[in-house]
Amino acid sequence: MSTYAIGDVQGCYDSLMALLDEISYDPQHDSLWFAGDLVNRGPKSLECPRFMKQQSNVKTVLGNHDLHLIALYLGQAAPKRKDTFEKLMAAPDYVDLMVWLRQQKLLVYDKNLNFCMTHAGIPHIWTLKQARQYAKEFETMLRGDGAVDFALNMYGNKPTAWRNDLEGMDRYRVITNYFTRMRFIDMEGNLELKTKTRATRPPPGHKAWFKFNNPEMKKTKLLFGHWASLEGVTNNSRAFALDTACVWGGHLTALRLEDETLFSVEATD
Ligand SMILES: [Mn+2]
């Protein structure tokens, strides 16, 4: 009976199967958490969500690629050149898979395990309570009719920082930018969304989000994906970077939450 948190799969179904083999995954007893970006760029964006939907003990959070797919599904975004959604969008269960995807969360928290998972992280300007509240706000919107309007308005880097009085699309956009796109941030919480380098090369005035002192992180351990160039290194025993660049020929990584043991396989897709 173990819980494994797995980094960005991005359609790398064969690597996922190899990793599940490596950890001797037992669907009857084990649980799987996925850190988002379940689809895109990799070759099997249909098979990955199909597999996750079939399992009874899977928790996932949405990543930027998953939100992009939802926007395409809702007819509010143009496909990007590198998207790999053709097979998924032509599949007989496409709509079922999208209904499932829209039910997924931005944040998963388990009090007993003392882990919280989001795709990109949690900014130091939010308490865990705030983060859970904003995630829930967004999740409720995404399941309803408001999602169409959001999909039309989700792209963009502004506003750059959280304010309690933000409303409507600005509020949803900044919530998703923190949860699904954040890497570098400044003391006031302003996001810098262009730089994708390692944590040791921040843009001036900014730091990797997990380098800021966040009292919540002394209590709760954070799992995230999204930032492949970290190569799994945060130098912070409370922040676990799970994206090890599987889709770029790196590795697919799982962390067993009960004892913090890492497992990984080489990319095979
Ligand atoms: Mn991502």
Side-chain angles (χ1 to χ4, degrees):
M1 293 244 288
S2 299
T3 310
Y4 296 91
I6 299 173
D8 307 31
V9 178
Q10 295 201 248
C12 295
Y13 180 75
D14 294 348
S15 304
L16 175 59
M17 291 303 115
L19 180 63
L20 296 183
D21 199 38
E22 174 73 20
I23 63 178
S24 306
Y25 169 58
D26 174 356
Q28 304 296 322
H29 296 104
D30 296 330
S31 300
L32 302 177
W33 291 16
F34 290 96
D37 283 356
L38 316 175
V39 293
N40 213 5
R41 302 286 189 267
K44 293 189 175 171
S45 285
L46 168 60
E47 288 81 353
C48 290
R50 199 183 255 172
F51 169 79
M52 294 164 192
K53 180 173 176 281
Q54 281 165 355
Q55 308 298 303
S56 58
N57 43 11
V58 158
K59 292 182 180 179
T60 76
V61 291
L62 296 164
N64 48 308
H65 286 287
D66 309 311
L67 289 175
H68 174 55
L69 174 59
I70 289 171
L72 288 173
Y73 166 71
L74 295 172
Q76 302 302 329
K80 294 180 186 172
R81 193 169 47 86
K82 292 179 186 164
D83 287 347
T84 57
F85 296 135
E86 297 84 358
K87 219 172 112 193
L88 169 64
M89 293 178 131
D93 51 348
Y94 172 48
V95 172
D96 291 344
L97 292 170
M98 296 310 299
V99 169
W100 172 83
L101 194 64
R102 281 174 70 183
Q103 305 289 323
Q104 302 312 302
K105 302 186 168 210
L106 276 185
L107 181 153
V108 164
Y109 171 61
D110 186 304
K111 197 173 194 303
N112 293 324
L113 289 166
N114 196 32
F115 272 99
C116 181
M117 175 176 73
T118 63
H119 179 59
I122 295 179
H124 63 283
I125 54 167
W126 289 350
T127 62
L128 179 61
K129 190 178 167 197
Q130 277 178 293
R132 293 177 72 193
Q133 181 195 321
Y134 304 148
K136 202 163 180 85
E137 219 179 278
F138 177 85
E139 290 155 9
T140 305
M141 178 278 295
L142 191 66
R143 290 167 195 182
D145 296 339
V148 175
D149 202 16
F150 170 72
L152 187 62
N153 288 285
M154 66 181 239
Y155 299 92
N157 297 347
K158 287 186 177 158
T160 58
W162 174 253
R163 288 199 332 263
N164 287 322
D165 63 350
L166 284 173
E167 287 180 351
M169 292 305 143
D170 280 351
R171 186 176 173 95
Y172 291 132
R173 192 183 313 106
V174 81
I175 289 172
T176 53
N177 282 347
Y178 282 114
F179 282 132
T180 72
R181 296 177 61 208
M182 174 172 65
R183 289 187 182 89
F184 294 106
I185 187 171
D186 73 9
M187 185 55 111
E188 286 74 44
N190 290 289
L191 292 163
E192 204 276 359
L193 292 165
K194 290 187 185 128
T195 309
K196 298 182 179 183
T197 52
R198 284 175 289 173
T200 48
R201 304 286 303 278
H206 295 72
K207 289 200 269 187
W209 66 267
F210 51 83
K211 301 253 181 215
F212 282 95
N213 181 35
N214 182 347
E216 292 290 335
M217 278 172 65
K218 294 195 169 65
K219 290 181 266 176
T220 309
K221 291 173 276 190
L222 302 184
L223 303 159
F224 66 103
H226 185 60
W227 199 342
S229 62
L230 294 177
E231 299 176 353
V233 178
T234 63
N235 293 314
N236 180 333
S237 63
R238 316 290 287 180
F240 296 83
L242 299 174
D243 184 1
T244 46
C246 185
V247 75
W248 309 116
H251 292 77
L252 188 64
T253 293
L255 180 75
R256 188 164 60 203
L257 302 185
E258 285 80 6
D259 63 0
E260 298 179 16
T261 302
L262 278 168
F263 301 83
S264 83
V265 293
E266 280 182 34
T268 52
D269 288 87

